[in-house]
């Protein structure tokens, strides 16, 4: 065997190993970044299709012009959320529908798409992948309520908890959406 042929064979093996390692790293990177969202997509459509979809989500996300909320906008959404929690006591189904609308409006104000539910959920998953299963569950319940469906009080309560989690993430860590407990003046 000629030395040139040996060098070519070694190069082919090295390139094949490098390509395999790159594809494996890329898949592990997506799995780490998207967590349960990665697993859901792999279960629905297979690994190759899921990874293609997640790379496409990242590309679409990178094209967005996301912006931080002003303190005034943040306070307005916190106020709306607090009012929704109070409204839940008397009209839980209506409060869940309003929580869905508030979440969509908040996402839109930040710069996420709002025209298409699946597109919004997909692009939000780039920044908030671990919240998407809960958000999808809450949104599906809200959609069924819009279509005349019924839900138990426990399902409605769980939907509000899920909405509170995504609203908190969208507003940022410094947002305190739950009413602070008043301090007793008898101290």
């Amino acid at each position: 065997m000629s030395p040139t042929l040996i060098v070519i064979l070694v190069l082919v093996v090295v390139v094949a190993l490098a390509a395999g390692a790159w594809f494996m790293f890329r898949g592990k990177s997506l799995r780490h970044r998207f967590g349960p969202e990665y697993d859901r997509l792999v279960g629905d459509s297979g690994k190759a299709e899921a990874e293609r979809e997640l790379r496409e989500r990242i590309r679409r996300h990178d094209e967005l012009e996301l912006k931080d909320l002003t303190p005034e906008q943040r306070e307005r959404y916190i106020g709306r959320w607090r009012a929704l929690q109070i409204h839940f006591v008397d009209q839980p189904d209506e409060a869940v529908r309003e929580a869905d609308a508030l979440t969509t409006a908040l996402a839109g104000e930040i710069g996420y798409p709002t025209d298409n539910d699946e597109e919004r959920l997909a692009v939000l998953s780039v920044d908030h992948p671990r919240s998407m299963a809960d958000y999808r569950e809450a949104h599906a319940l809200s959609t069924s309520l819009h279509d005349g469906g019924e839900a138990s009080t426990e399902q409605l309560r769980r939907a509000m908890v899920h909405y509170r989690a995504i609203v908190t993430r969208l507003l940022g860590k410094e947002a305190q959406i739950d009413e602070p407990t008043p301090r007793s003046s008898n101290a």
Side-chain angles (χ1 to χ4, degrees), residues 157-173:
R157 184 197 67 76
R158 197 169 58 241
M160 288 296 285
V161 168
H162 297 329
Y163 280 122
R164 181 177 60 215
I166 192 68
V167 165
T168 300
R169 284 179 181 82
L170 290 170
L171 288 173
K173 293 177 183 172

Side-chain angles (χ1 to χ4, degrees), residues 2-58:
S2 76
T4 305
L5 185 57
I6 292 173
V7 169
I8 291 172
L9 287 174
V10 168
L11 285 175
V12 168
V13 169
V14 167
V15 168
L17 289 172
W22 182 74
F23 279 112
M24 189 169 32
F25 172 76
R26 194 166 75 161
K28 283 185 179 183
S29 175
L30 287 170
R31 184 179 195 151
H32 177 73
R33 180 174 185 174
F34 285 93
E37 186 72 0
Y38 176 93
D39 295 334
R40 183 186 72 80
L41 284 171
V42 168
D44 288 351
S45 58
K47 185 177 178 181
E49 179 62 25
E51 290 180 0
R52 186 203 60 73
E53 165 64 20
L54 293 173
R55 286 190 302 276
E56 177 62 19
R57 288 181 185 187
I58 292 168

Side-chain angles (χ1 to χ4, degrees), residues 1-2 8 12-13 17 19 21-22 29 37 57 80-81 92 98 109 112 119 129 138 143-145 161 180-181 186-187:
M1 196 178 266
S2 76
I8 291 172
V12 168
V13 169
L17 289 172
W22 182 74
S29 175
E37 186 72 0
R57 288 181 185 187
R80 286 179 61 192
W81 179 260
E98 290 174 13
E109 192 125 17
Y112 292 101
E119 177 67 10
T143 301
S144 78
L145 292 173
V161 168
T181 305
N186 298 334

